[in-house]
Amino acid sequence: MNQLISISPDGIKYPLPKEEDYKNEIDRIEKLVAKARKKGLEIVVVMGLGFVGSVMAAIVADTTGKNGKSGKFVIGMQRPSTRSYWKIPKLNEGISPVKAEDPEVDPMISRCVLEKKTLVATFVYDVLKLADVVVVDVQLDYAKNELGNVRNGQVEMTALEESFDIIAQRIPAHCLVLIETTVAPGTTEQVALPAMRKVFRQRGIKSDPLIAHSYERVMPGRDYVASIRDFWRVCSGVNEDAKQRVVKFLNEVLNTKKFPLTVLDRPIESETAKVVENSYRATILAFLDEWSLFAERNGVDIIKVIKAIKMRPTHSNMIFPGPGIGGYCLPKDGGLGVWANRHILGFEDDTFRITPLAIDINDTRSLHAAQLVRDALRNMSVPVASAEVLILGASYREDVGDTRYSGSEILIRRLTEMGAEIRVHDPYVDHWFEFENQEEYPDNSKSIFFRNQKKLKDLQVQKDLKESLKNIDALVMAVRHEAYLQLDPARIVKVAGHPIAVIDCFGILDDDRIRQYIALGCEVKGLGRGHIKRIKDEVNKKKK
Ligand SMILES: NC(=O)c1ccc[n+]([C@@H]2O[C@H](COP(=O)([O-])OP(=O)(O)OC[C@H]3O[C@@H](n4cnc5c(N)ncnc54)[C@H](O)[C@@H]3O)[C@@H](O)[C@H]2O)c1
């Protein structure tokens, strides 16, 4: 049988471990742990080396005790799947498995792995037997079966439930299990505790597992590390012991002096805090969708309106939503609450109205952006079918390389369905996995909601802006990356070779640039930018 292979984003092939590799691997880790124990270090296993786990693991491994020496020895534990196994050898080489714009990430990981030797990665679950603390950073996905209908979806609990079982089978009785994964409210007390307690009893352990919950507020980007280490945390535990242990642990590894902990009575309160926090953000973003449409239709520039309102300090967190709300968290977290209400907590009634509606609005907002592209091209007598459309920005927010649930993906899928030829540019994204892997993981791909998606598998993200602009018919400004904020209209049109349709999805163009594009013969449209028609009339009047 062929050995399975895991390929890292830089193209290196790592064969998955074979059965005989497990014994050597646990021996290797046991030796390292014995050395660490001699030095008095606490052993922390971080389960799941993804966007959160790999950086959290490094932060814990970088902590110093009262004597100024390393305080923790961290084992990053990652399951050896073809999708993720490569993260283990990469981390063991001192290389971060996550690409980060934060200059602190790479040196911190390399320092902990190669110099301090307080961080190691492995694929063997049996390292859990060595743990004083287990930090659970595995993912918990919410599957949506329809575009724009979060209610008709479900939390993919099986993998998380399996993780709880794997942990309970192995950990010592007094090990703290800290769940950082964003879970459906009720999970810690009503799913994890009974399941793990049952395994403990089978193992003859009379005490209850010490389970705590404390959610991550990590923001991948320039302040990646600070958003974990130097930021406020909320936590709770299933009993007093668990609560005390989690408070002690978080005080040791995070900057809680400056960013104090909030300790809540019960884990369901900590779990709910996370879900409400993100539902609130999803809602204030979704709410502007209807006003954005209103503005477009009634000669109003929503960007100037928002700026005017934000002068009032009470409204300073108003944000223009752009072409959809992505990232791993906002599209799903409210769904975890809606799902838990019925499937964990047993309520049949429809408690939630605003939260699912907000997610549905956010999930479909970019479809309107596709209509603007179609209409701008139509006004230039170019049919969208076979038009060359360049999308500026693949990631879900400015100046990061994370494409998860980005508005640009839906926009591209719809435009492709309408027959457009798509090019995409992004300075931060090398591979757009949502397209590259759409056939490998069809159930997790948004491709199932659209037709004619096959060719998108080969979509390459361009790095040379000048090259990608040549002979385009339409330019879509989809993300507020630094590199796109000051583009010169005269140069863009010159490189394109002729006047183009310009669609601003994120309030990137100021009035002066809009005027210049129109004067150059371009058609300009923008989400929420109803005043463009006024500028067009002015320019045309001057021409006469
Ligand atoms: N990414 C963010 O910006 C962010 C922000 C705040 C909170 N969170 C939450 O943090 C959690 C983790 O998110 P992420 O972005 O790091 O996810 P991710 O998908 O990047 O990483 C999860 C990792 O866990 C591994 N894994 C899954 N099951 C495992 C098992 N049984 N044993 C060992 N490893 C296993 C996966 O292979 C993967 O590498 C989620 O609940 C998420 O909602 C994420």
Side-chain angles (χ1 to χ4, degrees):
M1 204 181 82
N2 282 343
Q3 190 171 4
L4 293 172
I5 282 182
S6 172
I7 305 175
S8 61
D10 57 356
I12 299 178
K13 293 178 178 168
Y14 294 96
L16 258 54
K18 297 194 221 82
E19 227 175 294
E20 59 268 29
D21 296 329
Y22 281 71
K23 171 85 179 70
N24 290 342
E25 179 67 355
I26 191 71
D27 286 352
R28 177 179 84 94
I29 304 284
E30 271 173 359
K31 277 184 198 134
L32 294 173
V33 166
K35 259 194 201 164
R37 285 225 185 272
K38 257 195 192 155
K39 290 185 196 158
L41 306 190
E42 191 173 41
I43 310 300
V44 180
V45 173
V46 175
M47 196 165 178
L49 293 175
F51 282 87
V52 175
S54 42
V55 181
M56 178 64 183
I59 287 170
V60 178
D62 205 36
T63 50
T64 40
K66 283 197 183 100
N67 55 6
K69 291 188 180 156
S70 300
K72 316 270 179 214
F73 181 76
V74 181
I75 306 167
M77 216 288 299
Q78 166 63 51
R79 66 179 171 190
S81 60
T82 46
R83 206 182 202 175
S84 290
Y85 172 71
W86 60 268
K87 295 173 188 173
I88 298 167
K90 271 272 177 279
L91 200 131
N92 283 335
E93 287 166 35
I95 299 168
S96 169
V98 290
K99 198 167 174 252
E101 287 72 41
D102 183 347
E104 239 193 297
V105 173
D106 290 343
M108 181 185 260
I109 289 188
S110 134
R111 178 169 67 241
C112 292
V113 175
L114 304 174
E115 290 166 33
K116 291 180 147 187
K117 298 193 187 302
T118 49
L119 177 59
V120 67
T122 188
F123 50 87
V124 282
Y125 286 136
D126 278 354
V127 294
L128 289 161
K129 292 180 182 168
L130 310 168
D132 299 311
V133 178
V134 175
V135 181
V136 181
D137 280 328
V138 305
Q139 75 276 33
L140 178 63
D141 290 331
Y142 187 93
K144 292 176 187 166
N145 305 315
E146 238 179 282
L147 190 65
N149 185 2
V150 68
R151 284 179 198 278
N152 178 17
Q154 67 280 338
V155 181
E156 298 189 326
M157 284 295 280
T158 320
L160 187 70
E161 285 170 325
E162 268 169 30
S163 302
F164 293 148
D165 187 63
I166 289 164
I167 295 169
Q169 297 284 359
R170 292 168 176 81
I171 52 167
H174 295 293
C175 176
L176 170 70
V177 179
L178 166 54
I179 301 171
E180 289 198 328
T181 297
T182 305
V183 291
T187 298
T188 303
E189 287 157 285
Q190 291 187 222
V191 180
L193 180 61
M196 291 175 72
R197 182 189 279 146
K198 198 168 160 193
V199 177
F200 263 33
R201 297 293 175 270
Q202 285 161 1
R203 289 176 60 196
I205 302 171
K206 293 205 173 67
S207 59
D208 269 350
L210 298 175
I211 315 174
H213 182 263
S214 176
Y215 59 92
E216 280 287 357
R217 285 166 162 157
V218 58
M219 285 295 283
R222 292 203 177 121
D223 300 318
Y224 209 144
V225 172
S227 72
I228 298 180
R229 186 190 56 204
D230 308 313
F231 214 61
W232 298 270
R233 274 288 188 116
V234 178
C235 67
S236 190
V238 292
N239 54 34
E240 211 36 51
D241 271 5
K243 212 184 281 177
Q244 279 176 18
R245 286 283 301 278
V246 73
V247 168
K248 180 174 176 289
F249 178 72
L250 293 176
N251 277 331
E252 285 166 353
V253 299
L254 305 180
N255 184 2
T256 52
K257 272 211 178 89
K258 231 173 156 185
F259 302 91
L261 288 178
T262 301
V263 186
L264 295 176
D265 286 348
R266 292 179 53 196
I268 193 172
E269 290 172 321
S270 163
E271 295 164 336
T272 304
K274 172 67 181 182
V275 169
V276 173
E277 196 170 306
N278 278 347
S279 300
Y280 169 73
R281 279 177 68 78
T283 303
I284 56 170
L285 286 155
F287 140 84
L288 273 178
D289 177 70
E290 60 201 33
W291 288 109
S292 167
L293 198 59
F294 171 88
E296 258 169 55
R297 289 172 173 170
N298 294 288
V300 174
D301 181 6
I302 195 80
I303 301 298
K304 292 199 199 87
V305 167
I306 292 173
K307 225 172 166 184
I309 296 169
K310 283 173 81 162
M311 295 298 283
R312 198 183 149 169
T314 48
H315 288 52
S316 60
N317 68 350
M318 218 179 204
I319 317 168
F320 182 68
I325 311 305
Y328 184 47
C329 300
L330 295 204
K332 73 167 169 60
D333 286 359
L336 297 175
V338 175
W339 182 89
N341 193 46
R342 171 158 299 159
H343 296 288
I344 295 184
L345 306 162
F347 289 96
E348 283 304 320
D349 62 347
D350 234 0
T351 310
F352 294 102
R353 284 171 295 155
I354 294 172
T355 300
L357 182 62
I359 292 176
D360 293 347
I361 289 170
N362 292 338
D363 281 356
T364 50
R365 181 165 159 77
S366 50
L367 298 175
H368 178 58
Q371 292 177 343
L372 293 188
V373 179
R374 177 199 63 198
D375 294 350
L377 282 165
R378 180 205 55 209
N379 291 357
M380 297 187 80
S381 306
V382 180
V384 65
S386 79
E388 291 284 341
V389 180
L390 172 63
I391 312 288
L392 293 186
S395 49
Y396 82 90
R397 68 186 277 261
E398 68 272 18
D399 301 320
V400 301
D402 187 347
T403 56
R404 292 188 289 180
Y405 306 106
S406 87
S408 298
E409 181 189 346
I410 296 296
L411 172 63
I412 288 173
R413 292 201 181 281
R414 174 62 101 213
L415 286 171
T416 301
E417 199 173 53
M418 290 196 275
E421 293 296 329
I422 301 292
R423 303 177 198 178
V424 61
H425 175 276
D426 195 302
Y428 302 97
V429 176
D430 297 329
H431 290 273
W432 198 341
F433 293 106
E434 283 74 6
F435 290 114
E436 274 183 28
N437 297 342
Q438 65 182 22
E439 280 164 26
E440 280 165 65
Y441 309 104
D443 294 348
N444 294 328
S445 172
K446 293 241 159 41
S447 63
I448 55 171
F449 302 132
F450 300 88
R451 56 187 278 278
N452 278 349
Q453 301 292 297
K454 218 172 167 58
K455 66 179 177 188
L456 288 174
K457 186 182 171 303
D458 302 316
L459 188 69
Q460 303 265 331
V461 183
Q462 308 294 322
K463 295 286 177 190
D464 184 339
L465 184 57
K466 196 173 164 196
E467 202 51 45
S468 40
L469 280 163
K470 284 182 185 161
N471 294 319
I472 54 165
D473 298 305
L475 178 70
V476 184
M477 299 176 157
V479 184
R480 291 185 62 89
H481 286 327
E482 184 86 39
Y484 304 149
L485 301 181
Q486 306 296 335
L487 293 175
D488 173 22
R491 223 179 120 61
I492 298 284
V493 174
K494 190 164 178 248
V495 180
H498 55 97
I500 54 173
V502 179
I503 297 87
D504 179 5
C505 297
F506 235 130
I508 291 173
L509 297 175
D510 57 18
D511 287 1
D512 193 40
R513 283 196 174 78
I514 295 173
R515 199 169 290 119
Q516 288 180 51
Y517 275 119
I518 294 171
L520 288 160
C522 299
E523 177 73 18
V524 183
K525 287 194 175 289
L527 287 174
R529 313 213 66 188
H531 72 309
I532 293 175
K533 169 79 169 68
R534 218 163 42 237
I535 300 179
K536 195 173 172 182
D537 290 347
E538 267 170 37
V539 173
N540 289 340
K541 216 168 164 186
K542 270 194 196 151
K543 271 189 190 163
K544 278 182 194 162

